Amino acid sequence: MDKYGLIGYPLGHSFSISYFNQKFQDEGIDAVYENYEIPSIDALPEVLSLNPELKGLNVTIPYKEKVLPFLDSISPEARAIGAVNVIRVRHKGNKTELKGYNSDVIGFTKSMEPMLDKKWHKKALILGTGGASKAIDYGLRNLGLETVFVSRYERPGTIQYQSITPEVIKEYNVIINCTPIGMYPKTEVCPDLPYEAMDSHTILYDLIYNPDETLFMKRGAEYGANVKNGLEMLLLQAFSSWEFWHEK
């Protein structure tokens, strides 16, 4: 039986494990998907040696960047982003070959593109500076938008939340939340923005999918913003993972 899985730490509720095991059951695929909660990325070789049936892995926080030195090859997109969230595992004799990909950018751009109007949407704010935000930046630039990262801390190449005025919201009217702010169970918080400056030309996209509607989305929608959560992106990422694992 083939195995697939997810590495990260900690691993609570995982979308991938339920999605793939349901897929295997529905499509009669002789495979299983398991969570591998490893406290250090240095445990990856042990996971591979204990599970010789592994054909592919997904990678989540905090290992999307830390996994890079363990890989034999990396797709051009993942290399440009500097983060990997899909690994194809190939066994050649005694050697295990690992190739890294990034499905975040594919999932996001396919989900984001239908919301954009080139006449109105030219600049975007990316909230957060973690591994996912790099893929979002790459995707937005591919879609023709200028981007600025927003951080709570003074970091090179970022602006801080207190600098985001109503005028900035009008100019940068595509806003992507790549932070965990508002995720279950802490649903009563949202990024600190001047929501009252938003209107029907504002797009708020939240990578969070639990809850369905975050406070970030709710507050924007009150002023007419178009909002979307991360569930469609996750589904598109899962399709991409399967294709990467079986790439010739």
Side-chain angles (χ1 to χ4, degrees):
M1 181 188 285
D2 289 345
K3 268 189 187 177
Y4 301 88
L6 174 68
I7 58 167
Y9 189 85
L11 293 178
H13 166 75
S14 156
F15 169 86
S16 299
I17 194 167
S18 48
Y19 171 84
F20 281 109
N21 284 322
Q22 190 65 51
K23 173 187 171 72
F24 299 154
Q25 190 179 325
D26 292 348
E27 298 179 24
I29 298 168
D30 187 26
V32 66
Y33 191 102
E34 295 179 345
N35 281 350
Y36 300 101
E37 189 174 63
I38 52 175
S40 161
I41 192 61
D42 295 326
L44 176 59
E46 187 182 2
V47 169
L48 293 164
S49 66
L50 291 174
N51 298 278
E53 315 88 345
L54 266 174
K55 295 287 189 290
L57 288 166
N58 290 119
V59 184
T60 190
I61 295 166
Y63 301 136
K64 289 184 182 186
E65 293 152 292
K66 292 176 183 170
V67 76
L68 298 177
F70 292 83
L71 306 175
D72 298 292
S73 58
I74 303 170
S75 74
E77 272 187 336
R79 189 175 292 285
I81 294 161
V84 157
N85 71 330
V86 182
I87 300 171
R88 187 190 71 195
V89 183
R90 287 270 165 89
H91 303 282
K92 297 189 174 174
N94 294 330
K95 186 159 177 9
T96 302
E97 284 187 2
L98 306 179
K99 182 170 182 180
Y101 303 85
N102 192 299
S103 67
D104 281 337
V105 67
I106 298 167
F108 173 70
T109 48
K110 283 185 177 174
S111 180
M112 181 86 231
E113 193 166 21
M115 301 182 77
L116 296 172
D117 180 335
K118 285 192 165 62
K119 181 184 168 191
W120 291 105
H121 302 122
K122 295 181 167 68
K123 297 183 179 183
L125 295 177
I126 300 170
L127 311 183
T129 55
S133 67
K134 293 178 179 176
I136 300 310
D137 178 52
Y138 186 89
L140 287 167
R141 287 170 182 271
N142 274 359
L143 292 169
L145 279 79
E146 283 181 43
T147 58
V148 170
F149 287 98
V150 183
S151 174
R152 285 177 297 171
Y153 311 105
E154 295 279 347
R155 282 198 175 105
T158 69
I159 64 168
Q160 281 57 58
Y161 284 93
Q162 58 267 30
S163 307
I164 301 175
T165 60
E167 292 71 31
V168 172
I169 294 288
K170 295 286 185 204
E171 188 181 353
Y172 291 82
N173 57 4
V174 177
I175 306 171
I176 319 297
N177 180 31
C178 301
T179 77
I181 297 170
M183 186 158 62
Y184 179 84
K186 296 180 180 173
T187 57
E188 296 308 309
V189 289
C190 63
D192 185 15
L193 301 169
Y195 291 89
E196 66 282 358
M198 297 175 184
D199 59 29
S200 62
H201 297 307
T202 312
I203 294 173
L204 298 189
Y205 192 109
D206 203 328
L207 266 57
I208 293 167
Y209 59 95
N210 183 16
D212 290 339
E213 187 183 39
T214 58
L215 189 57
F216 168 70
M217 293 164 63
K218 210 174 283 182
R219 291 197 59 191
E222 284 170 11
Y223 295 97
N226 294 309
V227 301
K228 196 175 204 175
N229 70 16
L231 188 59
E232 183 185 48
M233 176 179 163
L234 268 178
L235 286 165
L236 291 164
Q237 281 175 291
F239 297 151
S240 298
S241 295
W242 187 250
E243 286 171 7
F244 287 144
W245 292 331
H246 297 92
E247 194 178 72
K248 293 288 179 264

